[in-house]
């Protein structure tokens, strides 16, 4: 296959293909800070907490479980998600944290998910789990990638896991053996082969959502905060998540814009 990508593009493409994910330092720290700031402001407003100094943001997020009751968590999460998605600059800043890598790995004409998801995992909380799954198995297009942004340092059980491509190949070959069981049983069978994503605030994860992934109960002493949002090439095939409903073009090029509007002149 002909490939005119430059050396750097080829090397990160290879890494993404081999590992199923990439972690990179966001080249737009301002945007990342903006995302965190809006969350902090809304936590304080919704939970009636005193606004901390910038140096204490980490403390507030990591110790969030000490400041609220578990029964209020879902309500708080929904209120914060609504606030993020009402903020006109939020999605743009989310995109800007990862623009470079998206252009290199996905393309420069992108569709972005309309709503950004927020995950808050309190220690020992069993109610906010995302069992093992591949997004494709539930109808997503394999052309989508996920940009996953942690707001705190994530490690061990305070993070997500992903089954690397070489291990997935073995599962794929013998899929019947796994697929008949519950996702919990499935996870038990692949547990020792998954990669736990160690990532800090300031870094961003891009991963291949077709690979099995998920999380388990957070057994660390800190709360996990992370966001996720899907991106895909505008003109690539869509799955259940459609353009106009779930996705929206964000970087359409002028040639495409003109082509979409073009009408053949009438000859009669
Ligand atoms: Fe997923």
């Amino acid at each position: 296959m002909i490939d005119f990508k430059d050396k750097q593009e080829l090397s990160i493409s290879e890494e993404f293909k081999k590992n199923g994910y990439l972690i990179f330092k966001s080249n737009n720290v301002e945007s990342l800070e903006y995302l965190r700031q809006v969350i902090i402001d809304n936590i304080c407003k919704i939970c009636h907490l005193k606004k901390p100094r910038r140096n204490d943001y980490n403390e507030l997020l990591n110790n969030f479980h000490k400041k609220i009751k578990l029964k209020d968590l879902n309500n708080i999460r929904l209120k914060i998600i609504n606030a993020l998605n009402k903020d006109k600059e939020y999605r743009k800043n989310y995109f800007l944290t990862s623009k470079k890598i998206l252009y290199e790995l996905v393309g420069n004409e992108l569709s972005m998910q309309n709503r950004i998801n927020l995950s808050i995992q309190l220690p020992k909380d069993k109610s906010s789990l995302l069992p093992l799954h591949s997004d494709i198995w539930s109808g997503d297009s394999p052309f989508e990638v996920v940009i996953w942004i942690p707001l705190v340092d994530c490690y061990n059980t305070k993070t997500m896991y992903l089954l690397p491509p070489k291990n997935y190949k073995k599962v794929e070959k013998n899929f019947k053996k796994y697929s008949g069981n519950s996702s919990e049983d499935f996870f038990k069978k692949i547990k020792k082969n998954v990669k736990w994503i160690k990532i800090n605030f300031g870094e961003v994860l891009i991963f291949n959502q077709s690979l099995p992934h998920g999380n388990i109960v957070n057994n660390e002493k800190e709360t996990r905060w992370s966001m996720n949002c899907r991106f895909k090439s505008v003109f690539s095939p869509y799955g259940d998540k459609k353009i106009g409903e779930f996705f929206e073009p964000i970087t359409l090029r002028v040639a495409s814009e003109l082509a979409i509007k073009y009408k053949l002149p009438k000859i009669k």
Side-chain angles (χ1 to χ4, degrees):
M1 191 170 77
I2 291 173
D3 199 328
F4 292 161
K5 290 198 285 294
D6 67 33
K7 230 175 164 187
Q8 197 262 345
E9 287 170 338
L10 283 171
S11 101
I12 60 161
S13 301
E14 272 314 306
E15 196 186 332
F16 186 73
K17 215 189 306 182
K18 185 172 159 246
N19 298 327
Y21 72 92
L22 268 170
I23 291 172
F24 56 97
K25 265 227 163 327
S26 172
N27 44 4
N28 197 328
V29 179
E30 263 172 41
S31 290
L32 201 56
E33 288 288 351
Y34 180 88
L35 301 181
R36 189 171 68 157
Q37 186 65 54
V38 174
I39 293 207
I40 295 279
D41 291 347
N42 278 288
I43 291 172
C44 295
K45 201 167 126 196
I46 293 161
C47 304
H48 309 290
L49 297 171
K50 199 175 150 241
K51 214 164 150 190
R53 288 175 309 177
R54 186 171 286 264
N55 284 348
D56 296 329
Y57 285 179
N58 226 11
E59 199 275 333
L60 169 65
L61 295 169
N62 273 322
N63 290 311
F64 189 61
H65 54 284
K66 295 178 186 163
K67 302 176 200 304
I68 59 146
K69 291 191 177 83
L70 179 59
K71 69 171 178 46
D72 298 328
L73 178 63
N74 207 33
N75 209 5
I76 293 168
R77 179 181 14 233
L78 291 176
K79 280 186 181 165
I80 300 175
I81 291 176
N82 277 335
L84 304 185
N85 286 295
K86 263 190 200 150
D87 185 303
K88 289 195 172 62
E89 298 300 314
Y90 211 80
R91 281 172 74 238
K92 184 165 188 193
N93 279 290
Y94 199 100
F95 160 65
L96 290 177
T97 64
S98 313
K99 177 178 166 178
K100 189 171 174 282
I101 203 109
L102 283 166
Y103 278 15
E104 288 171 340
L105 296 184
V106 184
N108 65 3
E109 282 189 294
L110 294 166
S111 272
M112 179 179 185
Q113 188 174 322
N114 282 330
R115 283 179 72 80
I116 287 160
N117 291 318
L118 173 71
S119 169
I120 311 169
Q121 274 199 289
L122 309 190
K124 313 272 182 230
D125 172 23
K126 292 190 179 92
S127 65
S128 319
L129 298 183
L130 193 59
L132 175 92
H133 68 285
S134 152
D135 295 18
I136 318 296
W137 300 341
S138 52
D140 277 21
S141 161
F143 288 82
E144 297 165 19
V145 297
V146 176
I147 294 285
W148 197 93
I149 303 183
L151 294 162
V152 287
D153 295 353
C154 297
Y155 53 90
N156 297 345
T157 55
K158 188 194 170 193
T159 189
M160 59 166 279
Y161 63 80
L162 180 88
L163 187 67
K166 75 169 187 325
N167 297 333
Y168 176 59
K169 265 195 192 112
K170 289 176 209 156
V171 170
E172 202 182 20
K173 266 187 204 151
N174 219 339
F175 201 72
K176 250 190 178 168
K177 207 180 95 189
Y178 299 91
S179 61
N181 302 310
S182 68
S183 49
E184 210 169 303
D185 285 339
F186 197 156
F187 176 66
K188 273 181 196 154
K189 284 178 184 157
I190 61 157
K191 197 176 168 180
K192 60 180 192 312
N193 295 322
V194 301
K195 171 82 190 165
W196 296 89
I197 308 286
K198 189 179 179 327
I199 184 167
N200 292 334
F201 174 67
E203 296 175 318
V204 176
L205 165 73
I206 180 167
F207 74 90
N208 176 353
Q209 39 106 44
S210 73
L211 295 165
H213 58 279
N215 63 36
I216 58 168
V217 175
N218 174 4
N219 279 319
E220 313 313 317
K221 291 189 173 74
E222 298 167 339
T223 298
R224 188 246 276 188
W225 291 77
S226 62
M227 296 177 287
N228 65 79
C229 185
R230 293 179 175 78
F231 292 85
K232 71 194 287 298
S233 175
V234 173
F235 297 108
S236 61
Y238 287 77
D240 288 349
K241 296 184 167 82
K242 308 283 185 218
I243 192 164
E245 294 167 15
F246 195 90
F247 282 105
E248 177 183 49
I250 55 165
T251 54
L252 199 67
R253 303 287 139 169
V254 66
S256 302
E257 188 195 326
L258 293 172
I260 289 167
K261 286 180 189 155
Y262 182 79
K263 283 192 183 88
L264 267 177
K266 290 194 173 91
I267 46 169
K268 273 186 193 168

